Structure formats: structure tokens, C-alpha cells
């Protein structure tokens, strides 16, 4: 695709995000949009945001768990850039009106102390590069109407990134069993969904290795201090009404926030 077309798609998606007005899938308006050009659209969007004062703080992987792929009709993970503007504080109010059709996810987040760049990055390389892990929430939100997305659509939309909340209970990897940690979402005191970190490609560290190697095709290097989010351990839950969310990894920590 021509660069003018890619920038045009990025502009349409950015306008939809700003106005919180959904659009038809980009692949309907631009039939030649594929996964590779979809990633270029998201890179253009991230670069424009940084030029206007935002900051790149890391990368995310989405739809890595089979339950997530089934929920959104995808058969392949998506990925995106994490920007500082998407971060909100734990325990604060989140306004439902600021989203189009959001879902809540619980996942680990990793903060790096070393560099990672593929190809051929191993799980051992990832373990050596991680400083600590945090419980995290992502409120995913698609700019595509009713989440009628294919892989190219969600990649162009920066992996359907919405808002990130990082928890306040950092742990070293040696203090966690990330192949078998149960996570649960509660809304207004009622358990709504649970899952296990083993759903994230068997272990979220493996998911990070997958992401590093995948993004090496775009000459992307993960750097010390960056946040890496490997995807949800449970099925995303609609965030449809006001109320209190409590999101817990057993033996690790809880993140709470209110939707208003």
C-alpha cells in the first residue's frame, strides 16, 4: 500500500479514538490492507503520538490465549505499542463515556532491566532481561464497530489498545509460578470470570519471547525500563455499566478501580 493510504487509515482511526465514534473495519474501505500494512499503520499512529508529546513505554501482545481468539473471531495474536497516555492510576475512577465498547482483561506485566531483540530470543533470554512483574489490567477497546475485526483491522488499531492500569505489588520471577497462577475478575462483589496464566502460551514468559521474535521483523528492540504485556489469562469481560471492579491474581495482588 502507498504511504498516503497508510497515513489516511491512521488518521481515520485516530479520529475515531478521539471522538469515540466507531468506524467500519478498515479492510472494507481499504481491501488491500493486510497484517503487514496494518502494523505500519499502527507504527505511524504511535510515531505521530510521540511527536505530539506522548511517550513510548513498551509493547503488548493480545489474543494469545485460545479463549480470547475464540471471543473475537481471530486465529492469530495481535500486538501493539504501549503509550504513556494510555496509563491510568490504580484506585481511580474510569469514565465509561471515554470508550466505545470496552472489555476488561487481567494479565501480568513485565518491566525490563535488559535489552531484547530477535530473532532467536529464547525463554532464558527473556527471564534474564526481566526486572520484575506486576499484575495489570487492560481495558481493551476497538475503534471498529461491534468488534468486527480481522487481524489487519486490529493491528491497524494498535491491537485494540484502550487503557492500562499497573498494580502496586511488584514481584521477582522467582517469587511467582507464572505457568499456574489463577486470576479472577469481580464486579460489584460478584465473580464474573476466572483463568490461569498457563493460558498465555503455557507461560507468559514464552509469550514475551514470541512477541520479541515477531517484532524483530520490524527491527524493533525492547529496551530497559519498558513495560511488556503478554496478553490476558482469561476471557475479556464487557465493561458496560458503572460499578466497582476487583481483579486478583491469587497469592500475588489485586487491582481495584471504579467505573463511573
Amino acid at each position: 500500500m502507498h504511504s498516503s493510504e497508510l497515513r489516511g487509515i491512521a488518521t481515520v482511526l485516530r479520529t475515531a479514538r478521539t471522538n469515540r465514534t466507531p468506524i467500519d473495519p478498515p479492510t472494507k474501505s481499504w481491501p488491500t490492507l493486510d497484517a503487514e500494512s496494518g502494523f505500519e499503520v499502527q507504527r505511524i499512529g504511535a510515531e505521530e503520538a510521540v511527536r505530539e508529546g506522548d511517550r513510548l513505554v513498551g509493547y503488548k501482545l493480545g489474543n494469545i490465549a485460545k479463549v480470547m481468539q475464540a471471543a473475537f473471531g481471530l486465529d492469530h495474536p495481535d500486538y501493539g505499542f504501549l503509550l504513556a497516555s494510555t496509563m491510568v492510576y490504580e484506585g481511580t475512577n474510569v469514565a465509561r463515556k471515554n470508550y466505545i465498547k470496552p472489555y476488561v482483561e487481567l494479565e501480568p506485566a513485565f518491566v525490563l532491566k535488559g535489552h531484547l531483540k530477535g530473532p532467536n530470543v529464547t525463554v532464558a533470554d527473556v527471564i534474564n532481561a526481566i526486572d520484575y512483574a506486576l499484575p495489570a489490567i487492560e481495558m481493551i477497546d476497538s475503534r471498529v464497530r461491534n468488534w468486527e475485526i480481522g487481524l489487519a483491522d486490529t493491528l491497524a488499531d494498535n491491537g485494540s489498545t484502550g487503557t492500562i492500569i499497573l498494580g502496586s505489588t511488584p514481584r521477582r520471577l522467582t517469587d511467582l509460578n507464572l505457568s499456574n497462577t489463577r486470576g479472577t475478575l469481580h464486579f460489584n462483589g460478584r465473580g464474573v470470570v476466572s483463568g490461569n496464566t498457563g493460558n498465555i502460551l503455557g507461560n507468559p514468559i514464552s509469550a514475551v519471547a514470541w512477541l520479541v521474535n515477531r517484532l524483530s521483523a520490524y527491527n524493533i528492540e525492547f529496551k530497559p525500563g519498558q513495560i511488556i504485556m503478554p496478553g490476558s489469562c482469561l476471557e475479556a469481560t464487557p465493561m458496560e455499566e458503572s460499578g466497582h471492579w476487583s481483579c486478583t491474581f491469587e497469592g500475588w495482588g489485586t487491582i481495584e478501580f471504579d467505573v463511573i
Side-chain angles (χ1 to χ4, degrees):
M1 296 183 69
H2 296 299
S3 61
S4 59
E5 292 180 290
L6 300 177
R7 292 189 178 279
I9 299 169
T11 298
V12 168
L13 285 164
R14 185 171 186 177
T15 300
R17 178 188 291 269
T18 300
N19 295 340
R20 293 179 284 280
T21 302
I23 62 171
D24 289 333
T27 48
K28 284 190 175 181
S29 301
W30 290 273
T32 58
L33 182 71
D34 58 13
E36 298 301 309
S37 53
F39 182 82
E40 292 305 323
V41 170
Q42 72 165 252
R43 174 144 54 185
I44 290 168
E47 290 173 348
E48 289 178 348
V50 169
R51 279 196 297 271
E52 294 182 8
D54 212 330
R55 186 167 67 92
L56 175 66
V57 296
Y59 302 91
K60 61 158 280 184
L61 180 60
N63 291 311
I64 189 69
K66 295 300 182 184
V67 67
M68 288 294 296
Q69 293 182 16
F72 294 104
L74 297 173
D75 59 2
H76 195 281
D78 63 14
Y79 28 88
F81 295 84
L82 293 180
L83 298 169
S85 61
T86 66
M87 303 284 169
V88 299
Y89 297 120
E90 182 180 8
T92 56
N93 292 334
V94 174
R96 174 61 181 81
K97 67 180 182 180
N98 291 337
Y99 303 85
I100 296 172
K101 193 173 182 179
Y103 289 75
V104 179
E105 295 182 336
L106 175 65
E107 58 188 283
F110 301 114
V111 179
L112 300 181
K113 63 182 177 183
H115 295 262
L116 286 170
K117 186 176 182 181
N120 302 319
V121 162
T122 68
V123 167
D125 295 325
V126 174
I127 290 171
N128 287 332
I130 290 173
D131 192 1
Y132 56 88
L134 293 165
I137 290 295
E138 183 178 7
M139 285 155 269
I140 57 173
D141 194 27
S142 179
R143 269 49 66 180
V144 178
R145 187 175 289 105
N146 295 321
W147 284 86
E148 294 179 0
I149 54 173
L151 181 59
D153 300 306
T154 186
L155 286 176
D157 193 22
N158 199 32
S160 303
T161 301
T163 298
I164 308 293
I165 303 177
L166 298 177
S168 56
T169 51
R171 294 287 186 271
R172 301 295 181 189
L173 293 185
T174 50
D175 297 326
L176 299 169
N177 179 5
L178 289 174
S179 65
N180 185 24
T181 295
R182 186 169 183 264
T184 306
L185 298 184
H186 287 80
F187 180 67
N188 288 339
R190 176 177 58 88
V192 291
V193 68
S194 64
N196 192 293
T197 52
N199 295 333
I200 309 171
L201 207 61
N203 185 318
I205 298 170
S206 299
V208 173
W210 186 96
L211 181 61
V212 174
N213 289 324
R214 178 69 187 94
L215 294 188
S216 69
Y218 306 105
N219 197 34
I220 288 176
E221 178 182 14
F222 293 12
K223 299 178 181 179
Q226 288 185 332
I227 302 158
I228 311 301
M229 298 186 65
S232 179
C233 73
L234 42 75
E235 185 175 352
T237 303
M239 192 178 84
E240 297 176 333
E241 58 186 294
S242 300
H244 182 75
W245 287 85
S246 179
C247 313
T248 301
F249 277 123
E250 287 185 358
W252 184 1
T254 297
I255 300 171
E256 297 185 288
F257 64 98
D258 291 291
V259 177
I260 58 173

